[in-house]
Amino acid sequence: MSGRAGEDTIADEDFGEVELPDQVPTQEEWEERDKRYKAARRDDDSDGSAAVEAYAAALPGWKREVAPRFDEIVQREVSEVRRAVRYHQPFYGVEERGWFASFGAFSKHVKLTFVCGTYLDPQPPSGTGPERQALDVEETDALDEEQVASWVRQAADDPGMGW
């Protein structure tokens, strides 16, 4: 699906309805993004922050603005955060305790996911249970940084996904 464009949607049994972007990056753009990402992964041998930054830098348009804002909130709220790119998306964790958040970019939104063993208060609007609660941020949405910071603190107190 990542190389398709159009005005239609695709029905996927794992992801549901997936809207296709209006334009597809050129092959050269995909290759450049891939090179930046791989270079950052090679250069980063400590906490994974360079890989996360490379992931964010490779995002298209407005999505490239949401990712560093989320990263800044996580850094501010969890000073000893561990970053890494796993399963094709950035993850945030607490050393020896597990992962507590991630984000991923989709065609029409960026999903901020909180992974913890209990329900967050208040509960984010998306997700399937305490282990996967999420906020979908669309281009026209204003990010409530205070609320996101609260969810980050809560999730970091009770990480829900092991290393």
Side-chain angles (χ1 to χ4, degrees):
M1 286 186 285
S2 63
R4 297 184 61 184
E7 297 178 9
D8 297 335
T9 60
I10 296 173
D12 182 272
E13 66 180 53
D14 293 325
F15 297 105
E17 286 290 315
V18 178
E19 293 184 41
L20 298 173
D22 294 331
Q23 290 185 305
V24 175
T26 65
Q27 184 64 31
E28 293 80 29
E29 289 172 322
W30 280 118
E31 290 170 2
E32 179 59 32
R33 290 177 185 180
D34 190 50
K35 271 199 296 192
R36 286 190 311 223
Y37 173 75
K38 287 178 180 175
R41 292 285 309 258
R42 279 192 306 273
D43 294 342
D44 185 33
D45 60 0
S46 58
D47 65 3
S49 59
V52 172
E53 290 170 13
Y55 179 97
L59 294 174
W62 66 271
K63 297 170 191 170
R64 191 173 30 249
E65 298 168 15
V66 174
R69 287 176 59 203
F70 183 63
D71 191 75
E72 289 168 11
I73 293 169
V74 172
Q75 179 61 49
R76 184 178 66 234
E77 301 301 324
V78 185
S79 61
E80 298 296 321
V81 67
R82 177 180 173 195
R83 293 173 180 84
V85 174
R86 300 282 188 267
Y87 316 109
H88 307 292
Q89 62 184 340
F91 272 79
Y92 298 89
V94 177
E95 195 68 44
E96 302 300 323
R97 295 188 53 220
W99 303 111
F100 64 85
S102 68
F103 72 84
F106 297 87
S107 63
K108 302 290 182 187
H109 69 280
V110 174
K111 182 177 287 292
L112 308 179
T113 302
F114 304 95
V115 185
C116 56
T118 57
Y119 281 103
L120 301 176
D121 184 27
Q123 292 180 31
S126 301
T128 58
E131 64 280 346
R132 292 285 186 282
Q133 300 170 78
L135 174 67
D136 293 342
V137 180
E138 295 180 0
E139 183 173 10
T140 58
D141 292 342
L143 186 63
D144 182 345
E145 293 189 19
E146 190 174 307
Q147 182 60 68
V148 171
S150 173
W151 287 330
V152 165
R153 287 190 303 273
Q154 292 176 62
D157 285 344
D158 187 20
M161 184 177 177
W163 301 119

